[in-house]
Amino acid sequence: MDTRTPTPLVTSDGPGFRADDLVQAAMDWHFGPDTGSRFWLEKARTFSFDPRKDVTTLADLALLPDVTDEIRTVPVGDLVPKGLVGAGPMRVFETGGTTGRPRRIVDFHEFRRQAGWWSSFLDREQVPQGGNWLLIAPTGPHAVGHVLRELTSLRSAVPLHIDLDPRWVKELMRTGRNKEAQHYIEHLVSQTMDLLTTQTIDVMFCTPPLLEVLAQSPRAVELINRSVHTILWSGASMDRDTRDILRHEVFPRVKLRGAYGNTITGVSPEYVPTAADAPADGSYDDGSAVFVPCYTGFLMEIVDPAGRGAVPYGARGRVLAHTLTRETLLPNNLERDLATRVTPMPGHPADAVADVAPYAEAEGEIIEGVY
């Protein structure tokens, strides 16, 4: 395999995919002396086991440590796999700092692949190619801005970007400067209204808190219902009642589709089952927002809040994420989110997750802000 092309560690799709194959490929790559990063190769010296021999199944990942807190301070050069040195322009992405100091990862090709994954779901939803896309989203070190630029490029669309600084809003809210936070939100809304009134917008990306603010403006609602085909939402969570109100009462002429994920866990687009392919085991109902991880690099388990075991299908638990890409190995990441475990959607062999919400008992202060 040419390791310098944007391919996943395993390329089997659909029924041919096996999570254990992905685990084994990730261990061979990230702990291979010629392909692994300095960070993981040095970490392996402290193990009492050989990850290339002893970590061969999804369950075996429990042997590896959760290092998501460590990568807040690790020299970024130590995170670069040797097998990707010179593989193209390198980007460093950071998390939004929802739970403290940002975490960092490196990217060469993976987030372009994530854009392709998202685009395939938009094709299924018959979202038109081309057109003008209004993107109210973070840029800078945040991966979502890069993914959205790649997504518009893949879909031959015109990107109209409004930069959003989620860390600044979180800082304002954390320190009680709510009036300043409100002024910043008004600043974002003003820019949004300028584009809605001067341009024809076909697709709009917006975070749930900002979408709720726009929903309170009769003029914004009129303009969005007039031209927008699809609203894509992501970032902060959106509860079922809010989704229903926005979808059926505020924006009845617009398709509303979400995506779950973050810099570390990638993009999990929303999958809306038809009556024919909806799971019949009780893990899904018509009001659920179901998200499908890009399973050839990202796996999600739904476990009890302490992270000690998977819950049954249809039950709620905490998201345990495993990032297994060429660029990044981050297993056993117990997320700050609760979700319902859902049977794999048709054509997607790994579990889906639904109705994501913040886990109130997660360690540290959680401030979603506007993202």
Side-chain angles (χ1 to χ4, degrees):
M1 179 186 297
D2 180 359
T3 61
R4 297 177 186 275
T5 58
T7 57
L9 285 166
V10 295
T11 56
S12 297
D13 290 324
F17 172 81
R18 293 177 66 249
D20 292 351
D21 292 339
L22 175 58
V23 171
Q24 291 170 26
M27 295 304 103
D28 286 341
W29 175 264
H30 287 285
F31 293 102
D34 297 324
T35 53
S37 67
R38 180 182 303 168
F39 173 78
W40 277 113
L41 293 177
E42 291 183 354
K43 183 72 68 176
R45 296 194 183 102
T46 69
F47 296 163
S48 61
F49 59 92
D50 182 345
R52 301 181 79 186
K53 294 180 180 178
D54 300 324
V55 181
T56 61
T57 69
L58 180 60
D60 292 339
L61 285 177
L63 291 171
L64 295 172
D66 173 9
V67 299
T68 49
D69 277 339
E70 290 185 53
I71 62 171
R72 299 180 195 269
T73 57
V74 170
V76 71
D78 290 357
L79 299 175
V80 180
K82 294 180 183 178
L84 290 178
V85 172
M90 185 183 79
R91 291 161 290 267
V92 178
F93 292 133
E94 297 183 357
T95 57
T98 300
T99 57
R101 179 180 287 175
R103 302 173 173 104
R104 294 177 185 84
I105 64 167
V106 297
D107 174 70
F108 289 88
H109 306 295
E110 180 55 42
F111 278 91
R112 180 170 179 79
R113 193 166 75 92
Q114 290 293 294
W117 176 251
W118 199 352
S119 185
S120 69
F121 282 72
L122 300 185
D123 287 338
R124 180 181 180 274
E125 293 285 344
Q126 299 182 327
V127 176
Q129 293 275 338
N132 293 334
W133 283 39
L134 171 54
L135 310 173
I136 313 169
T139 52
H142 306 285
V144 64
H146 176 77
V147 173
L148 288 169
R149 285 191 293 271
E150 293 281 7
L151 184 59
T152 55
S153 176
L154 288 172
R155 301 190 68 80
S156 302
V158 177
L160 300 168
H161 211 124
I162 295 174
D163 191 23
L164 184 161
D165 186 349
R167 293 181 188 169
W168 178 236
V169 180
K170 290 182 174 85
E171 175 65 14
L172 292 175
M173 297 179 73
R174 186 185 66 81
T175 55
R177 290 180 283 172
N178 294 331
K179 185 174 292 187
E180 289 183 60
Q182 183 59 39
H183 287 330
Y184 183 73
I185 291 171
E186 292 170 0
H187 173 62
L188 295 172
V189 170
S190 175
Q191 295 176 76
T192 301
M193 291 303 297
D194 182 65
L195 284 170
L196 286 173
T197 54
T198 63
Q199 307 294 319
T200 298
I201 303 301
D202 301 282
V203 176
M204 178 176 170
F205 176 91
C206 190
T207 68
L210 286 175
L211 190 57
E212 291 180 44
V213 172
L214 291 170
Q216 297 171 28
S217 165
R219 180 61 172 156
V221 170
E222 175 194 358
L223 292 168
I224 290 170
N225 277 313
R226 179 184 301 175
S227 70
V228 174
H229 178 278
T230 302
I231 294 173
L232 303 175
W233 63 268
S234 188
S237 57
M238 187 188 297
D239 62 63
R240 182 178 300 206
D241 289 343
T242 300
R243 290 197 308 270
D244 286 345
I245 291 171
L246 292 176
R247 181 177 287 131
H248 301 301
E249 299 181 25
V250 182
F251 303 117
R253 300 178 58 184
V254 182
K255 187 171 292 188
L256 187 69
R257 293 295 180 264
Y260 167 60
N262 54 49
T263 297
I264 291 175
T265 62
V267 177
S268 297
E270 184 176 3
Y271 185 108
V272 181
T274 65
D277 65 17
D281 61 358
S283 63
Y284 166 83
D285 64 64
D286 289 340
S288 295
V290 178
F291 305 105
V292 179
C294 185
Y295 52 84
T296 53
F298 303 86
L299 298 172
M300 292 184 187
E301 300 181 80
I302 304 300
V303 300
D304 69 80
R308 297 193 181 95
V311 302
Y313 286 116
R316 288 186 69 72
R318 198 165 170 184
V319 177
L320 180 66
H322 308 290
T323 301
L324 307 167
T325 68
R326 286 194 186 279
E327 285 96 331
T328 304
L329 172 65
L330 288 175
N332 304 311
N333 174 20
L334 195 58
E335 286 280 2
R336 57 172 180 83
D337 298 315
L338 289 175
T340 301
R341 184 184 180 195
V342 179
T343 303
M345 293 292 104
H348 304 293
D351 284 358
V353 302
D355 296 336
V356 179
Y359 177 49
E361 299 178 24
E363 293 182 8
E365 184 180 20
I366 294 176
I367 302 174
E368 285 195 319
V370 292
Y371 191 78

Short mmCIF file of all heavy atoms in Angstrom, two decimals, residues 220-272:
data_model
loop_
_atom_site.label_atom_id
_atom_site.label_comp_id
_atom_site.label_asym_id
_atom_site.label_seq_id
_atom_site.Cartn_x
_atom_site.Cartn_y
_atom_site.Cartn_z
N ALA A 220 -34.74 36.64 9.49
CA ALA A 220 -33.82 35.54 9.21
C ALA A 220 -34.59 34.29 8.82
O ALA A 220 -34.22 33.58 7.88
CB ALA A 220 -32.94 35.27 10.43
N VAL A 221 -35.68 34.01 9.53
CA VAL A 221 -36.48 32.82 9.23
C VAL A 221 -37.05 32.91 7.82
O VAL A 221 -37.05 31.93 7.06
CB VAL A 221 -37.61 32.68 10.27
CG1 VAL A 221 -38.61 31.60 9.84
CG2 VAL A 221 -37.02 32.34 11.64
N GLU A 222 -37.52 34.11 7.45
CA GLU A 222 -38.07 34.30 6.10
C GLU A 222 -37.01 34.04 5.03
O GLU A 222 -37.26 33.33 4.05
CB GLU A 222 -38.60 35.73 5.97
CG GLU A 222 -39.09 36.07 4.56
CD GLU A 222 -39.31 37.57 4.36
OE1 GLU A 222 -39.12 38.34 5.33
OE2 GLU A 222 -39.63 37.96 3.23
N LEU A 223 -35.82 34.60 5.22
CA LEU A 223 -34.77 34.45 4.22
C LEU A 223 -34.28 33.01 4.11
O LEU A 223 -34.02 32.51 3.02
CB LEU A 223 -33.61 35.39 4.56
CG LEU A 223 -33.90 36.88 4.42
CD1 LEU A 223 -32.78 37.70 5.06
CD2 LEU A 223 -34.08 37.27 2.96
N ILE A 224 -34.14 32.35 5.25
CA ILE A 224 -33.67 30.97 5.23
C ILE A 224 -34.70 30.06 4.57
O ILE A 224 -34.36 29.23 3.72
CB ILE A 224 -33.36 30.50 6.67
CG1 ILE A 224 -32.12 31.24 7.19
CG2 ILE A 224 -33.13 28.99 6.71
CD1 ILE A 224 -31.85 31.02 8.67
N ASN A 225 -35.97 30.23 4.90
CA ASN A 225 -37.00 29.40 4.28
C ASN A 225 -37.15 29.68 2.79
O ASN A 225 -37.59 28.82 2.02
CB ASN A 225 -38.35 29.62 4.98
CG ASN A 225 -38.49 28.78 6.24
OD1 ASN A 225 -38.20 27.59 6.24
ND2 ASN A 225 -38.92 29.40 7.33
N ARG A 226 -36.77 30.89 2.37
CA ARG A 226 -36.93 31.27 0.97
C ARG A 226 -35.95 30.54 0.07
O ARG A 226 -36.31 30.09 -1.02
CB ARG A 226 -36.76 32.78 0.81
CG ARG A 226 -36.89 33.26 -0.63
CD ARG A 226 -36.61 34.75 -0.73
NE ARG A 226 -37.52 35.54 0.10
CZ ARG A 226 -37.42 36.86 0.26
NH1 ARG A 226 -36.43 37.52 -0.32
NH2 ARG A 226 -38.29 37.50 1.02
N SER A 227 -34.68 30.38 0.50
CA SER A 227 -33.68 29.87 -0.44
C SER A 227 -32.89 28.66 0.04
O SER A 227 -32.37 27.91 -0.78
CB SER A 227 -32.69 30.98 -0.81
OG SER A 227 -31.85 31.30 0.29
N VAL A 228 -32.77 28.47 1.34
CA VAL A 228 -31.87 27.43 1.85
C VAL A 228 -32.49 26.05 1.66
O VAL A 228 -33.64 25.81 2.07
CB VAL A 228 -31.53 27.67 3.33
CG1 VAL A 228 -30.71 26.51 3.89
CG2 VAL A 228 -30.75 28.99 3.47
N HIS A 229 -31.74 25.15 1.05
CA HIS A 229 -32.19 23.78 0.87
C HIS A 229 -31.93 22.94 2.11
O HIS A 229 -32.77 22.16 2.56
CB HIS A 229 -31.48 23.16 -0.34
CG HIS A 229 -31.84 21.72 -0.61
ND1 HIS A 229 -31.26 20.67 0.06
CD2 HIS A 229 -32.72 21.17 -1.47
CE1 HIS A 229 -31.76 19.52 -0.38
NE2 HIS A 229 -32.66 19.80 -1.30
N THR A 230 -30.71 23.10 2.69
CA THR A 230 -30.30 22.26 3.82
C THR A 230 -29.56 23.09 4.86
O THR A 230 -28.70 23.90 4.50
CB THR A 230 -29.37 21.12 3.35
OG1 THR A 230 -30.05 20.33 2.37
CG2 THR A 230 -28.95 20.23 4.51
N ILE A 231 -29.91 22.90 6.11
CA ILE A 231 -29.13 23.43 7.23
C ILE A 231 -28.36 22.27 7.84
O ILE A 231 -28.95 21.26 8.23
CB ILE A 231 -30.02 24.08 8.30
CG1 ILE A 231 -30.72 25.34 7.76
CG2 ILE A 231 -29.20 24.44 9.54
CD1 ILE A 231 -31.73 25.93 8.72
N LEU A 232 -27.05 22.41 7.92
CA LEU A 232 -26.21 21.44 8.60
C LEU A 232 -25.84 22.01 9.96
O LEU A 232 -25.36 23.14 10.04
CB LEU A 232 -24.93 21.17 7.79
CG LEU A 232 -25.13 20.69 6.35
CD1 LEU A 232 -23.79 20.59 5.64
CD2 LEU A 232 -25.85 19.34 6.32
N TRP A 233 -26.07 21.25 11.01
CA TRP A 233 -25.74 21.73 12.35
C TRP A 233 -24.76 20.78 13.01
O TRP A 233 -24.78 19.57 12.79
CB TRP A 233 -26.98 21.93 13.22
CG TRP A 233 -27.77 20.66 13.49
CD1 TRP A 233 -28.82 20.18 12.77
CD2 TRP A 233 -27.55 19.74 14.57
NE1 TRP A 233 -29.29 19.02 13.31
CE2 TRP A 233 -28.52 18.72 14.42
CE3 TRP A 233 -26.65 19.66 15.63
CZ2 TRP A 233 -28.61 17.64 15.31
CZ3 TRP A 233 -26.73 18.59 16.51
CH2 TRP A 233 -27.69 17.60 16.34
N SER A 234 -23.89 21.36 13.83
CA SER A 234 -22.92 20.55 14.56
C SER A 234 -22.27 21.45 15.61
O SER A 234 -22.52 22.65 15.65
CB SER A 234 -21.86 19.98 13.63
OG SER A 234 -21.02 19.07 14.31
N GLY A 235 -21.43 20.85 16.43
CA GLY A 235 -20.73 21.61 17.46
C GLY A 235 -21.33 21.33 18.82
O GLY A 235 -21.01 20.34 19.46
N ALA A 236 -22.23 22.18 19.26
CA ALA A 236 -22.96 21.94 20.50
C ALA A 236 -24.07 20.92 20.23
O ALA A 236 -24.41 20.63 19.09
CB ALA A 236 -23.53 23.25 21.05
N SER A 237 -24.64 20.39 21.30
CA SER A 237 -25.70 19.41 21.14
C SER A 237 -27.03 20.10 20.85
O SER A 237 -27.19 21.29 21.07
CB SER A 237 -25.81 18.56 22.41
OG SER A 237 -26.06 19.38 23.53
N MET A 238 -28.00 19.30 20.35
CA MET A 238 -29.34 19.81 20.11
C MET A 238 -30.33 18.75 20.58
O MET A 238 -30.28 17.60 20.11
CB MET A 238 -29.58 20.13 18.63
CG MET A 238 -30.92 20.81 18.37
SD MET A 238 -31.34 21.01 16.62
CE MET A 238 -30.04 22.09 16.05
N ASP A 239 -31.21 19.10 21.51
CA ASP A 239 -32.14 18.10 22.05
C ASP A 239 -33.29 17.86 21.07
O ASP A 239 -33.51 18.62 20.11
CB ASP A 239 -32.67 18.52 23.42
CG ASP A 239 -33.46 19.82 23.38
OD1 ASP A 239 -34.51 19.88 22.71
OD2 ASP A 239 -33.01 20.80 24.01
N ARG A 240 -34.01 16.79 21.34
CA ARG A 240 -35.06 16.35 20.42
C ARG A 240 -36.16 17.39 20.25
O ARG A 240 -36.62 17.64 19.13
CB ARG A 240 -35.65 15.03 20.94
CG ARG A 240 -36.72 14.45 20.05
CD ARG A 240 -37.24 13.13 20.59
NE ARG A 240 -36.17 12.14 20.71
CZ ARG A 240 -36.37 10.83 20.67
NH1 ARG A 240 -37.60 10.37 20.49
NH2 ARG A 240 -35.38 9.99 20.79
N ASP A 241 -36.59 18.01 21.33
CA ASP A 241 -37.67 19.00 21.22
C ASP A 241 -37.25 20.18 20.35
O ASP A 241 -38.04 20.66 19.53
CB ASP A 241 -38.07 19.50 22.62
CG ASP A 241 -38.81 18.45 23.43
OD1 ASP A 241 -39.30 17.48 22.82
OD2 ASP A 241 -38.89 18.60 24.66
N THR A 242 -36.00 20.64 20.54
CA THR A 242 -35.52 21.76 19.72
C THR A 242 -35.45 21.37 18.26
O THR A 242 -35.85 22.15 17.37
CB THR A 242 -34.14 22.22 20.21
OG1 THR A 242 -34.23 22.63 21.58
CG2 THR A 242 -33.61 23.37 19.37
N ARG A 243 -34.95 20.16 17.97
CA ARG A 243 -34.90 19.70 16.58
C ARG A 243 -36.28 19.68 15.97
O ARG A 243 -36.49 20.12 14.83
CB ARG A 243 -34.28 18.29 16.50
CG ARG A 243 -32.81 18.21 16.79
CD ARG A 243 -32.22 16.90 16.30
NE ARG A 243 -32.94 15.73 16.77
CZ ARG A 243 -32.69 15.08 17.89
NH1 ARG A 243 -31.74 15.53 18.70
NH2 ARG A 243 -33.39 14.01 18.23
N ASP A 244 -37.25 19.17 16.71
CA ASP A 244 -38.61 19.07 16.17
C ASP A 244 -39.19 20.45 15.88
O ASP A 244 -39.83 20.66 14.85
CB ASP A 244 -39.51 18.32 17.16
CG ASP A 244 -39.23 16.83 17.18
OD1 ASP A 244 -38.55 16.34 16.25
OD2 ASP A 244 -39.67 16.16 18.14
N ILE A 245 -38.99 21.39 16.80
CA ILE A 245 -39.53 22.74 16.60
C ILE A 245 -38.87 23.40 15.39
O ILE A 245 -39.55 24.00 14.54
CB ILE A 245 -39.33 23.59 17.87
CG1 ILE A 245 -40.22 23.07 19.00
CG2 ILE A 245 -39.63 25.06 17.58
CD1 ILE A 245 -39.93 23.70 20.34
N LEU A 246 -37.54 23.30 15.30
CA LEU A 246 -36.85 23.92 14.17
C LEU A 246 -37.25 23.27 12.86
O LEU A 246 -37.48 23.95 11.85
CB LEU A 246 -35.34 23.82 14.37
CG LEU A 246 -34.74 24.65 15.51
CD1 LEU A 246 -33.25 24.36 15.65
CD2 LEU A 246 -34.96 26.14 15.28
N ARG A 247 -37.34 21.95 12.86
CA ARG A 247 -37.62 21.23 11.61
C ARG A 247 -39.05 21.42 11.13
O ARG A 247 -39.28 21.60 9.92
CB ARG A 247 -37.32 19.74 11.83
CG ARG A 247 -37.56 18.87 10.59
CD ARG A 247 -37.18 17.42 10.86
NE ARG A 247 -35.74 17.26 10.92
CZ ARG A 247 -35.10 16.63 11.90
NH1 ARG A 247 -35.77 16.15 12.92
NH2 ARG A 247 -33.79 16.51 11.87
N HIS A 248 -40.01 21.38 12.04
CA HIS A 248 -41.41 21.35 11.62
C HIS A 248 -42.12 22.69 11.73
O HIS A 248 -43.09 22.93 11.01
CB HIS A 248 -42.16 20.30 12.46
CG HIS A 248 -41.61 18.92 12.33
ND1 HIS A 248 -41.53 18.26 11.12
CD2 HIS A 248 -41.08 18.08 13.26
CE1 HIS A 248 -41.00 17.05 11.31
NE2 HIS A 248 -40.70 16.93 12.59
N GLU A 249 -41.64 23.57 12.62
CA GLU A 249 -42.36 24.82 12.83
C GLU A 249 -41.60 26.05 12.32
O GLU A 249 -42.21 26.94 11.72
CB GLU A 249 -42.66 25.00 14.33
CG GLU A 249 -43.55 23.91 14.91
CD GLU A 249 -43.84 24.12 16.38
OE1 GLU A 249 -43.77 25.27 16.84
OE2 GLU A 249 -44.12 23.12 17.08
N VAL A 250 -40.30 26.09 12.56
CA VAL A 250 -39.54 27.29 12.20
C VAL A 250 -39.05 27.22 10.75
O VAL A 250 -39.20 28.18 9.98
CB VAL A 250 -38.35 27.50 13.15
CG1 VAL A 250 -37.60 28.79 12.80
CG2 VAL A 250 -38.83 27.55 14.59
N PHE A 251 -38.45 26.08 10.38
CA PHE A 251 -37.89 25.94 9.03
C PHE A 251 -38.53 24.74 8.31
O PHE A 251 -37.84 23.78 7.94
CB PHE A 251 -36.37 25.75 9.11
CG PHE A 251 -35.64 26.86 9.83
CD1 PHE A 251 -34.94 26.61 11.00
CD2 PHE A 251 -35.65 28.15 9.32
CE1 PHE A 251 -34.26 27.62 11.66
CE2 PHE A 251 -34.98 29.19 9.98
CZ PHE A 251 -34.29 28.92 11.15
N PRO A 252 -39.83 24.77 8.08
CA PRO A 252 -40.51 23.61 7.51
C PRO A 252 -40.11 23.31 6.07
O PRO A 252 -40.31 22.19 5.58
CB PRO A 252 -42.00 23.99 7.60
CG PRO A 252 -42.00 25.49 7.60
CD PRO A 252 -40.77 25.89 8.35
N ARG A 253 -39.55 24.30 5.37
CA ARG A 253 -39.17 24.09 3.97
C ARG A 253 -37.70 23.70 3.81
O ARG A 253 -37.22 23.58 2.69
CB ARG A 253 -39.46 25.37 3.18
CG ARG A 253 -40.92 25.79 3.19
CD ARG A 253 -41.13 27.10 2.43
NE ARG A 253 -40.68 26.98 1.04
CZ ARG A 253 -40.68 28.00 0.19
NH1 ARG A 253 -41.07 29.20 0.59
NH2 ARG A 253 -40.27 27.83 -1.06
N VAL A 254 -37.01 23.55 4.92
CA VAL A 254 -35.56 23.33 4.88
C VAL A 254 -35.23 21.95 5.48
O VAL A 254 -35.81 21.56 6.50
CB VAL A 254 -34.82 24.42 5.68
CG1 VAL A 254 -33.31 24.21 5.60
CG2 VAL A 254 -35.20 25.81 5.16
N LYS A 255 -34.32 21.25 4.84
CA LYS A 255 -33.84 19.98 5.39
C LYS A 255 -32.84 20.29 6.50
O LYS A 255 -31.90 21.06 6.31
CB LYS A 255 -33.19 19.16 4.28
CG LYS A 255 -32.79 17.75 4.69
CD LYS A 255 -32.37 16.94 3.48
CE LYS A 255 -33.54 16.66 2.57
NZ LYS A 255 -33.19 15.71 1.49
N LEU A 256 -33.04 19.69 7.66
CA LEU A 256 -32.18 19.93 8.83
C LEU A 256 -31.43 18.63 9.14
O LEU A 256 -32.05 17.63 9.50
CB LEU A 256 -33.03 20.36 10.03
CG LEU A 256 -32.31 20.81 11.29
CD1 LEU A 256 -31.60 22.14 11.06
CD2 LEU A 256 -33.29 20.92 12.46
N ARG A 257 -30.10 18.67 9.01
CA ARG A 257 -29.30 17.48 9.22
C ARG A 257 -28.08 17.82 10.08
O ARG A 257 -27.37 18.80 9.82
CB ARG A 257 -28.84 16.88 7.90
CG ARG A 257 -29.96 16.31 7.04
CD ARG A 257 -30.62 15.11 7.71
NE ARG A 257 -31.69 14.55 6.90
CZ ARG A 257 -32.98 14.84 7.03
NH1 ARG A 257 -33.36 15.70 7.98
NH2 ARG A 257 -33.89 14.27 6.26
N GLY A 258 -27.80 16.98 11.05
CA GLY A 258 -26.71 17.23 11.98
C GLY A 258 -25.48 16.40 11.69
O GLY A 258 -25.44 15.55 10.79
N ALA A 259 -24.45 16.67 12.46
CA ALA A 259 -23.23 15.87 12.46
C ALA A 259 -22.66 15.92 13.88
O ALA A 259 -22.68 16.97 14.52
CB ALA A 259 -22.22 16.38 11.46
N TYR A 260 -22.19 14.77 14.35
CA TYR A 260 -21.60 14.69 15.69
C TYR A 260 -20.11 14.42 15.54
O TYR A 260 -19.69 13.72 14.62
CB TYR A 260 -22.27 13.57 16.48
CG TYR A 260 -21.54 13.20 17.77
CD1 TYR A 260 -21.34 14.15 18.77
CD2 TYR A 260 -21.05 11.91 17.97
CE1 TYR A 260 -20.67 13.82 19.94
CE2 TYR A 260 -20.38 11.58 19.14
CZ TYR A 260 -20.19 12.53 20.12
OH TYR A 260 -19.53 12.21 21.26
N GLY A 261 -19.33 14.95 16.47
CA GLY A 261 -17.90 14.66 16.46
C GLY A 261 -17.10 15.84 16.95
O GLY A 261 -17.64 16.84 17.44
N ASN A 262 -15.81 15.69 16.82
CA ASN A 262 -14.90 16.75 17.22
C ASN A 262 -13.55 16.53 16.54
O ASN A 262 -13.42 15.63 15.69
CB ASN A 262 -14.76 16.82 18.75
CG ASN A 262 -14.37 15.48 19.35
OD1 ASN A 262 -13.43 14.83 18.89
ND2 ASN A 262 -15.08 15.05 20.39
N THR A 263 -12.58 17.33 16.90
CA THR A 263 -11.26 17.22 16.26
C THR A 263 -10.67 15.83 16.40
O THR A 263 -10.03 15.33 15.47
CB THR A 263 -10.31 18.26 16.88
OG1 THR A 263 -10.82 19.57 16.62
CG2 THR A 263 -8.91 18.15 16.31
N ILE A 264 -10.88 15.19 17.53
CA ILE A 264 -10.26 13.89 17.78
C ILE A 264 -11.08 12.74 17.19
O ILE A 264 -10.51 11.79 16.64
CB ILE A 264 -10.07 13.68 19.30
CG1 ILE A 264 -9.00 14.65 19.81
CG2 ILE A 264 -9.67 12.24 19.63
CD1 ILE A 264 -8.80 14.61 21.31
N THR A 265 -12.40 12.82 17.26
CA THR A 265 -13.23 11.68 16.84
C THR A 265 -13.77 11.81 15.42
O THR A 265 -14.53 10.94 14.98
CB THR A 265 -14.40 11.49 17.81
OG1 THR A 265 -15.23 12.66 17.80
CG2 THR A 265 -13.90 11.25 19.23
N GLY A 266 -13.41 12.86 14.70
CA GLY A 266 -13.84 12.98 13.32
C GLY A 266 -15.30 13.37 13.18
O GLY A 266 -15.96 13.79 14.13
N VAL A 267 -15.82 13.23 11.97
CA VAL A 267 -17.18 13.63 11.63
C VAL A 267 -18.07 12.41 11.55
O VAL A 267 -17.78 11.46 10.83
CB VAL A 267 -17.21 14.38 10.28
CG1 VAL A 267 -18.65 14.75 9.92
CG2 VAL A 267 -16.34 15.63 10.33
N SER A 268 -19.18 12.44 12.29
CA SER A 268 -20.20 11.39 12.22
C SER A 268 -21.49 12.03 11.71
O SER A 268 -22.25 12.62 12.48
CB SER A 268 -20.43 10.77 13.60
OG SER A 268 -19.27 10.13 14.07
N PRO A 269 -21.77 11.94 10.40
CA PRO A 269 -22.96 12.59 9.85
C PRO A 269 -24.25 11.90 10.32
O PRO A 269 -24.25 10.73 10.71
CB PRO A 269 -22.78 12.43 8.33
CG PRO A 269 -21.34 12.06 8.14
CD PRO A 269 -20.94 11.32 9.36
N GLU A 270 -25.33 12.65 10.23
CA GLU A 270 -26.63 12.11 10.60
C GLU A 270 -27.15 11.20 9.50
O GLU A 270 -27.08 11.51 8.31
CB GLU A 270 -27.64 13.24 10.85
CG GLU A 270 -28.99 12.74 11.33
CD GLU A 270 -29.96 13.87 11.66
OE1 GLU A 270 -29.59 15.06 11.47
OE2 GLU A 270 -31.08 13.58 12.12
N TYR A 271 -27.68 10.06 9.92
CA TYR A 271 -28.31 9.10 9.01
C TYR A 271 -29.78 9.02 9.39
O TYR A 271 -30.12 8.69 10.53
CB TYR A 271 -27.64 7.73 9.16
CG TYR A 271 -28.12 6.66 8.18
CD1 TYR A 271 -27.30 6.24 7.15
CD2 TYR A 271 -29.37 6.07 8.31
CE1 TYR A 271 -27.72 5.25 6.26
CE2 TYR A 271 -29.80 5.10 7.42
CZ TYR A 271 -28.97 4.68 6.41
OH TYR A 271 -29.40 3.70 5.52
N VAL A 272 -30.65 9.32 8.45
CA VAL A 272 -32.09 9.27 8.71
C VAL A 272 -32.65 8.02 8.03
O VAL A 272 -32.79 7.97 6.81
CB VAL A 272 -32.80 10.53 8.18
CG1 VAL A 272 -34.29 10.46 8.48
CG2 VAL A 272 -32.20 11.78 8.80
#
